[in-house]
Amino acid sequence: MLVNQTRGYHWSDAETRALLNIWGEHDVQTALDGNFRNSHVYRDVAGRLGDMGYDRTPDQCRVRVKSLKRQYFQAKTAAKKNGHHSKIFRFYKDMERILSSRSSAGLDAHDLDGMGVEGDETMDGTEEDGESVDQPHESDVEGAGECSNMEYPVKIEYPNYPIPVTVGSCSAVPDTPAKPIEDQPTPMTSSAASRRHKKRFANLSLEKLMEKFLEQSLEAEENFYRLEEQRLQAEDLRRETEHTREMHMLQMLGQMFSGLTTPTVTSSPAPQSARNVKTGPSVTRARPYGGSNSHQTCQVDYATPSPPAAPVIERTFSLGGVAHRGMDILPLVKNIIPPLTSKKHKGQDGRIGVIGGCQEYTGAPYFAAISALKIGADLSHVFCSKDAGTVIKSYSPELIVHPVLDGPGAVQEIEKWLPRLHSLVVGPGLGREDKLLNNAKAVIEKSKLRGIPIVIDADGLWLVSKEPSVIQGYQKAILTPNFMEFSRLYEAMHHQPLDTADLRVTAQQLSIALGNVTLVLKGEEDIITDGNQVITCRQEGSGRRCGGQGDLLSGSLGVFSHWAFTSSLNATEGLNPTLVAAFGAATLTRQCNNQAFHKYGRATTTTDMIQEICAAFKKLFET
C-alpha cells in the first residue's frame, strides 16, 4: 500500500492566491494543455512560488490545484440551487477567471462532463500517469485555505493500474454536443460515499500506524528466531542420532572381526642411494593403532638421508559428518584432560608462555594467550616488545605481560621464567625483525635444553624456514603451518617445488626431513603427522577464514601438549602425545569456528570463536 506523502499540508489564503496567479498565467496553461506528463510544469510552478517566499514541493502544488478545481465545480453545481457560491468556495471568482479563459484552449462542455461531485477532472495536466482523483474530504470545502490543527487521518492508497490512453491531440476526439449542466450525473449518495471512504482511508493516525507496523515487525522477527532455534535443535538431534547409529555399526563390525588376526603391514625400503655406501641396520618399530590389539609395523632405514615414508594411517573424526572412521582418537584426547578438583593448586593445570607481539601485531599473542586460559590453563604469560606491552595489557587483565623481547637482556629475562612454564608458543605476532627473531631463536634453544613442549606458528615458521636446525629433531615440537607456510618449509628442506598431488604424503615427507617433528597442516582438512603416522581431522568447520584462527589453534595446542606429555602412557595408549594434543586442538578450533559461524555468519571474527570455547569444549570432550 502507498501512503500519499502530500496530504496534510495546509495552505494559507496568501499562498493559495499566489499559486492561482502563477497557475493561471498563459504560459503555464499552455504547457498543461494536452500533456499527460507535467511534472516539469509543476516544478516550475513550485520554483516561482519559492521566489515569492513560499516553500512548496511540485507534488503539493499539483494536489492543491486539483483540490481547488474540485471545489470549484462543486460550488458551481451548488450555485444553481442557492446562488451563494462565494460562501461555499472563496476562490470561486479566481477559478472562474482562469477556467473561463481556457474555453478556447480546449476546455469545452465535453471536458466539463465528468467534473461532478465525485471530483473527476479533465486530463488537462493536473493529474499525471493515470493518477486517480480522490474523493473530496469535508475539510477541502469547509476550511479551504485555512490552517487547522486538527489531525488528518492517514490515507492508504492501493497501487493504481495504468489505463491505456491513445496518444494524440485533443482534436482527434470526435466532437460531441455539449451537455447542459442539468444533465450532469447526480452526486453519489451518502451511503456510497461512506463505503468508498472506508475503503480508501484508514482511521489511524501516522503514529499509531507506525506503532502497529513496529509491533508486527518485532513479532515476525521473534517468530523467525524461534523457528531458527527449532531448526538448529533438530539438526543437532539428527547429528547425534546418526553418530549413535554409526557407532553401533562400528561396534558390530568390531565384534565380527574380533576373532581374526590382523596381518602386519611392512613397507619395503626404498633403493639405497649410490652415494651412501655405509648403511646401518634397519629398525622395526611397532606402534599400537589407537589402543587396539593390532599393531602397525613400519620398517625405516635411518642410514639414508631421505628415508621412505611410513604407511599412511588415516584416522578421521567428524562430529555430524558423513564418514566416521577411526573413532579411537577422541577418547584419547579425553583421557589426557585433567579433571577439575578442589585439591589442585594454581598453575598445576598449565602455565603457558607466548613469545610474540611487536608494535604492528598485538592481537595475535593476545588471542593465543587468552585461548589457552579459556581452555583450562591456569596462567598465561606473554613475552613481547616494549611497544606492544601496554596495548596487550589493555586487552585483558588476566594475562601476565613481559615487555622485554626487544630489550638488551631479553634472553636472560625470559630464561628466568622458563622453569615455571609448562609449554611455549613461539611466533604469534613476532614480526620479522632480526633482533626479535634472534631472541626467539635463543629462547627456543634454552627451552629445548629443558625439554619444554614448543608450538611454533606464524613468524616462528619463517624463522624455521630460514634456519631449520633450530627445531630439527626435537620430538616435543609441533609446527602449525598453513598452506603458504607449508610450501615455504617444504621448499627449504627439499630444494624443489611442492607437489600438491597428495598433501598427506608431502606432509609426512616434510616431517621426516625435520627429524619426525609433528606437523599440523591447516586447510579444508587438518593433516597431522609425526612422520610415522598421518591423522586427518575432518571436524566440521566453516567457510569463514578470518585472521586470528591460527592463534586460537596454537594457544590451545600449547595447553593440550602440556596435558599430553604429563599424562600417563596408558592415557594415550602408546600413541605419540603430540599427535593426540594436535588432534584435540584442531578439533576444538574447528568446532569453535562452526558454532560461531552458525551465529554470526559472514561477520564471524576470532573474538566470536573464542567466546565459543566453553560450549565447544563441553560438547566435544565432556559429554
Side-chain angles (χ1 to χ4, degrees):
M1 294 186 294
L2 303 176
V3 180
N4 194 332
Q5 300 292 339
T6 61
R7 293 295 184 185
Y9 294 92
H10 302 289
W11 291 66
S12 64
D13 288 353
E15 284 182 292
T16 302
R17 295 191 187 280
L19 174 65
L20 289 176
N21 290 335
I22 296 172
W23 181 68
E25 292 180 2
H26 179 71
D27 59 335
V28 175
Q29 292 296 317
T30 302
L32 290 174
D33 283 337
N35 290 329
F36 291 101
R37 298 186 178 274
N38 48 62
S39 56
H40 64 285
V41 179
Y42 281 97
R43 279 198 298 267
D44 182 61
V45 171
R48 297 187 191 182
L49 274 178
D51 295 340
M52 299 175 66
Y54 301 113
D55 186 13
R56 292 291 177 174
T57 65
D59 286 339
Q60 292 174 356
C61 296
R62 179 172 56 82
V63 171
R64 183 57 175 163
V65 169
K66 291 170 62 176
S67 176
L68 292 171
K69 292 178 65 178
R70 184 165 52 244
Q71 296 175 49
Y72 165 74
F73 287 110
Q74 288 175 346
K76 193 167 186 177
T77 302
K80 298 182 63 65
K81 300 179 181 179
N82 50 28
H84 299 291
H85 53 76
S86 60
K87 295 182 181 180
I88 299 176
F89 181 43
R90 68 184 67 183
F91 303 109
Y92 182 88
K93 293 182 179 180
D94 297 325
M95 293 294 295
E96 177 74 16
R97 172 180 54 81
I98 296 171
L99 296 180
S100 62
S101 64
R102 293 186 57 191
S103 59
S104 61
L107 184 65
D108 52 14
H110 175 68
D111 296 321
L112 298 175
D113 187 31
M115 296 184 179
V117 180
E118 294 182 6
D120 297 329
E121 301 181 9
T122 63
M123 302 296 288
D124 60 351
T126 57
E127 53 185 20
E128 185 174 352
D129 289 339
E131 289 187 11
S132 61
V133 181
D134 303 321
Q135 179 72 13
H137 198 273
E138 295 177 359
S139 60
D140 293 337
V141 178
E142 297 176 0
E146 297 180 356
C147 295
S148 175
N149 294 326
M150 69 174 296
E151 193 175 79
Y152 281 81
V154 177
K155 178 182 177 184
I156 308 298
E157 294 184 354
Y158 294 94
N160 39 11
Y161 296 91
I163 301 174
V165 179
T166 304
V167 178
S169 61
C170 297
S171 60
V173 181
D175 295 334
T176 54
K179 296 182 181 180
I181 296 179
E182 292 79 7
D183 296 336
Q184 292 185 4
T186 57
M188 295 170 53
T189 61
S190 59
S191 60
S194 63
R195 282 198 301 270
R196 182 177 178 184
H197 182 272
K198 289 180 181 179
K199 290 181 181 178
R200 299 294 299 276
F201 291 85
N203 295 322
L204 293 174
S205 65
L206 182 59
E207 294 181 356
K208 298 208 171 194
L209 190 65
M210 287 299 298
E211 182 180 354
K212 197 170 192 66
F213 171 74
L214 291 176
E215 289 177 359
Q216 293 177 354
S217 300
L218 291 175
E219 183 179 357
E221 187 175 0
E222 290 175 358
N223 291 337
F224 170 76
Y225 284 122
R226 185 174 64 255
L227 293 176
E228 184 68 13
E229 184 67 23
Q230 293 176 358
R231 186 188 69 79
L232 291 176
Q233 291 177 357
E235 183 69 14
D236 290 340
L237 180 61
R238 183 191 65 79
R239 290 177 179 175
E240 293 178 1
T241 304
E242 185 178 358
H243 173 69
T244 304
R245 179 177 60 82
E246 295 185 0
M247 284 294 295
H248 180 65
M249 292 176 63
L250 288 173
Q251 291 175 0
M252 292 177 60
L253 289 174
Q255 293 175 1
M256 291 173 59
F257 294 102
S258 60
L260 301 178
T261 303
T262 303
T264 59
V265 179
T266 304
S267 64
S268 59
Q272 296 293 330
S273 175
R275 62 182 176 179
N276 296 316
V277 180
K278 297 180 182 180
T279 58
S282 299
V283 180
T284 302
R285 291 188 176 183
R287 301 187 67 89
Y289 181 77
S292 63
N293 294 328
S294 61
H295 291 74
Q296 182 74 21
T297 304
C298 57
Q299 185 175 359
V300 181
D301 192 347
Y302 288 97
T304 59
S306 298
V312 176
I313 304 172
E314 182 176 332
R315 305 180 181 188
T316 63
F317 171 71
S318 175
L319 186 65
V322 178
H324 296 261
R325 293 175 292 171
M327 295 293 292
D328 53 335
I329 302 179
L330 189 64
L332 302 184
V333 179
K334 294 180 180 180
N335 291 341
I336 67 173
I337 297 175
L340 298 175
T341 65
S342 58
K343 298 180 181 180
K344 293 183 179 180
H345 56 80
K346 181 177 65 175
Q348 189 172 347
D349 281 344
R351 296 186 292 271
I352 312 302
V354 178
I355 307 296
C358 60
Q359 183 178 8
E360 293 83 4
Y361 307 110
T362 58
Y366 162 74
F367 286 143
I370 200 68
S371 298
L373 279 180
K374 287 185 173 291
I375 286 171
D378 293 335
L379 297 172
S380 279
H381 296 258
V382 179
F383 300 91
C384 61
S385 66
K386 185 177 180 180
D387 294 333
T390 305
V391 180
I392 298 175
K393 284 181 181 180
S394 67
Y395 290 156
S396 174
E398 286 90 359
L399 305 182
I400 305 172
V401 183
H402 310 268
V404 299
L405 190 56
D406 56 349
V411 178
Q412 292 75 16
E413 288 292 331
I414 299 175
E415 187 179 7
K416 296 177 183 178
W417 289 91
L418 291 182
R420 308 183 190 182
L421 300 180
H422 291 133
S423 65
L424 203 64
V425 181
V426 181
L430 179 62
R432 297 180 182 178
E433 186 179 343
D434 291 339
K435 186 176 183 180
L436 297 178
L437 291 175
N438 291 333
N439 289 340
K441 176 184 175 181
V443 172
I444 292 175
E445 296 291 350
K446 300 290 185 182
S447 302
K448 287 164 57 179
L449 296 176
R450 293 183 175 274
I452 300 175
I454 303 175
V455 179
I456 300 183
D457 185 35
D459 292 324
L461 296 173
W462 172 268
L463 173 63
V464 174
S465 66
K466 298 302 179 183
E467 300 183 45
S469 60
V470 72
I471 204 66
Q472 194 168 16
Y474 188 57
Q475 300 297 311
K476 289 188 177 181
I478 306 175
L479 310 185
T480 60
N482 57 27
F483 181 78
M484 294 302 298
E485 294 163 341
F486 178 76
S487 301
R488 191 183 302 121
L489 287 171
Y490 187 89
E491 293 173 3
M493 296 303 300
H494 292 85
H495 306 288
Q496 63 181 8
L498 173 65
D499 182 11
T500 59
D502 191 345
L503 291 178
R504 287 188 289 270
V505 174
T506 53
Q508 192 175 24
Q509 292 172 353
L510 179 57
S511 175
I512 294 173
L514 289 171
N516 291 91
V517 172
T518 298
L519 293 176
V520 181
L521 175 54
K522 299 176 288 188
E524 183 179 3
E525 300 174 352
D526 292 339
I527 300 173
I528 306 168
T529 179
D530 62 351
N532 296 319
Q533 293 175 329
V534 177
I535 300 173
T536 304
C537 178
R538 291 174 178 164
Q539 166 69 19
E540 184 180 359
S542 76
R544 184 76 168 106
R545 291 293 182 269
C546 57
Q549 293 181 218
D551 304 314
L552 193 159
L553 173 65
S554 60
S556 60
L557 189 50
V559 182
F560 276 106
S561 62
H562 163 59
W563 291 346
F565 279 107
T566 55
S567 60
S568 63
L569 292 176
N570 294 333
T572 59
E573 299 183 3
L575 190 65
N576 189 343
T578 57
L579 294 179
V580 178
F583 185 83
T587 303
L588 179 62
T589 302
R590 297 172 74 93
Q591 180 65 21
C592 292
N593 189 350
N594 181 262
Q595 292 181 188
F597 185 77
H598 275 300
K599 289 185 179 180
Y600 304 103
R602 190 177 292 274
T604 303
T605 60
T606 303
T607 303
D608 303 322
M609 294 173 55
I610 291 175
Q611 298 300 323
E612 298 296 325
I613 289 179
C614 178
F617 192 95
K618 183 179 296 184
K619 184 173 185 178
L620 291 173
F621 309 125
E622 295 180 351
T623 57

